Amino acid sequence: MKNRKRIYTSISIFLLFTILFACQNTNQGGRNFQPQSLEQTNYSQEGDNDYLDDQPQLVGGSERDVREPHPVSNNKLQKEYPNIVVLHGSPMKNQVALTFDDGPDTRFTPQVLDVLAKHDVKATFFLIGSRAKAHKEITKRIHDEGHAIGNHTYWHPNLPKEDLGRLHWELTETEQVIMGITGFKPRLFRSPYGALNDEMVKMLGEKNNTVIGWNVDSLDWKQQGADIISDNVLSNVGFGSIILMHDGGDWSMDLSGTAQSLNKIISKLKKDGAKFVTVPELIGVPEAK
């Protein structure tokens, strides 16, 4: 009986110290946040095992599972913080900016880059830090071919559900990865799912970031096929448009329709006299901090 009491007492003390240690590591607004490393990530989903072995996933969930219509939320933030949040360029110039989120992806980013090169068009890629680290050669290709690069966090969390410490870690960790590959820290930042709150916008402004939204959504993440994707864009595009597309996503998504749609989108807009520019060119800000 005495031995049993000693065991219970030892277990209680161990649990108490474990709780105290955990609390200590989560103080200061999450500044000590340390998500699992790429090497520790375990992918157990069924699918292309070779792809899953080196493709960091979206911790916030698939775009199709998380994205909800928020028709005015980013417009409110843009109105409140006009020097930080940008949703489009000048309506006086026939310029448009193609943007691609959630890469680099070994399956779809090269397809997109090939089409852009074919049409001699420059675009802007918002990269996930963990994927840029895993696919350095594709990241380098994006940069070397003259496309602009923005920060799309390291693990793609749903930021409004996190604290400011998480945003700080995601931002700076991705900056370091991109800096190591391209030689600069990106000024442009796009939040996963386009979701932000006031406190986060203020922090990003203090960190000398420009928050980039969009005013044309291709809805390519719904995987509806190239014709529907191109129609979504061409039916809504105008002078100064920032067009949202994806060259990566959840492991189960087939985004080949994105690259296929670009031929029609680019050809039609060029015929209408539109000039394709990067986001830094569209809004007149530097690509680097």
Side-chain angles (χ1 to χ4, degrees):
M1 181 66 72
K2 290 182 178 179
N3 288 336
R4 186 177 298 175
K5 288 183 178 179
R6 290 194 186 99
I7 292 171
Y8 289 157
T9 301
S10 298
I11 292 173
S12 298
I13 292 172
F14 174 78
L15 291 174
L16 177 61
F17 276 99
T18 301
I19 294 170
L20 290 173
F21 181 78
C23 291
Q24 183 178 4
N25 280 339
T26 54
N27 63 5
Q28 298 181 350
R31 297 283 178 176
N32 295 322
F33 170 76
Q34 291 292 335
Q36 61 184 164
S37 68
L38 174 60
E39 292 77 15
Q40 295 171 318
T41 305
N42 178 29
Y43 306 120
S44 59
Q45 302 104 319
E46 297 179 359
D48 186 341
N49 291 329
D50 292 338
Y51 169 71
L52 290 176
D53 284 343
D54 64 355
Q55 183 68 356
Q57 297 304 297
L58 312 180
V59 299
S62 169
E63 201 87 16
R64 63 174 177 264
D65 296 331
V66 178
R67 280 278 294 273
E68 297 177 1
H70 294 292
V72 298
S73 57
N74 284 342
N75 284 279
K76 289 180 179 178
L77 289 173
Q78 195 279 328
K79 184 176 181 180
E80 186 72 20
Y81 306 99
N83 295 323
I84 303 174
V85 180
V86 177
L87 303 181
H88 54 78
S90 170
M92 305 303 293
K93 296 180 180 179
N94 193 5
Q95 296 179 337
V96 296
L98 289 168
T99 68
F100 299 90
D101 286 8
D102 296 351
D105 184 294
T106 55
R107 301 168 299 170
F108 306 118
T109 306
Q111 294 179 28
V112 168
L113 289 171
D114 288 347
V115 178
L116 294 176
K118 170 186 172 183
H119 292 277
D120 192 24
V121 163
K122 307 304 178 188
T124 304
F125 289 78
F126 290 90
L127 304 183
I128 296 175
S130 57
R131 292 183 173 181
K133 182 178 180 180
H135 308 305
K136 293 180 181 178
E137 287 304 314
I138 302 178
T139 303
K140 189 174 185 299
R141 179 184 171 186
I142 292 170
H143 178 61
D144 289 348
E145 293 186 3
H147 304 290
I149 290 177
N151 188 325
H152 199 45
T153 72
Y154 194 84
W155 288 114
H156 203 276
N158 193 349
L159 286 173
K161 294 185 177 181
E162 308 288 344
D163 59 24
L164 288 177
R166 177 66 183 264
L167 171 58
H168 180 269
W169 188 93
E170 296 275 345
L171 178 71
T172 56
E173 195 73 10
T174 303
E175 285 180 346
Q176 292 301 319
V177 170
I178 294 175
M179 174 73 175
I181 301 171
T182 67
F184 73 92
K185 295 180 181 180
R187 177 189 180 103
L188 307 182
F189 178 87
R190 176 175 282 167
S191 179
Y193 319 106
L196 282 174
N197 58 37
D198 289 75
E199 286 186 329
M200 291 177 170
V201 171
K202 290 177 183 177
M203 171 184 276
L204 289 163
E206 292 169 358
K207 298 293 183 182
N208 197 31
N209 288 100
T210 300
V211 178
I212 306 299
W214 61 85
N215 65 338
V216 177
D217 191 344
S218 70
L219 301 176
D220 58 350
W221 51 273
K222 292 188 175 183
Q223 307 167 94
Q224 295 175 318
D227 288 340
I228 294 178
I229 292 169
S230 59
D231 287 347
N232 288 339
V233 172
L234 295 172
S235 298
N236 294 283
V237 71
F239 286 16
S241 287
I242 296 177
I243 303 166
L244 172 66
M245 306 188 82
H246 293 80
D247 64 314
D250 181 71
W251 70 275
S252 63
M253 296 174 68
D254 181 1
L255 295 168
S256 55
T258 298
Q260 295 167 10
S261 71
L262 286 173
N263 283 302
K264 182 177 179 180
I265 292 169
I266 294 172
S267 297
K268 181 66 169 68
L269 289 178
K270 277 189 171 182
K271 186 177 180 180
D272 288 345
K275 181 180 180 181
F276 288 88
V277 296
T278 65
V279 170
E281 292 171 327
L282 184 74
I283 65 176
V285 301
E287 181 182 9
K289 284 189 173 181

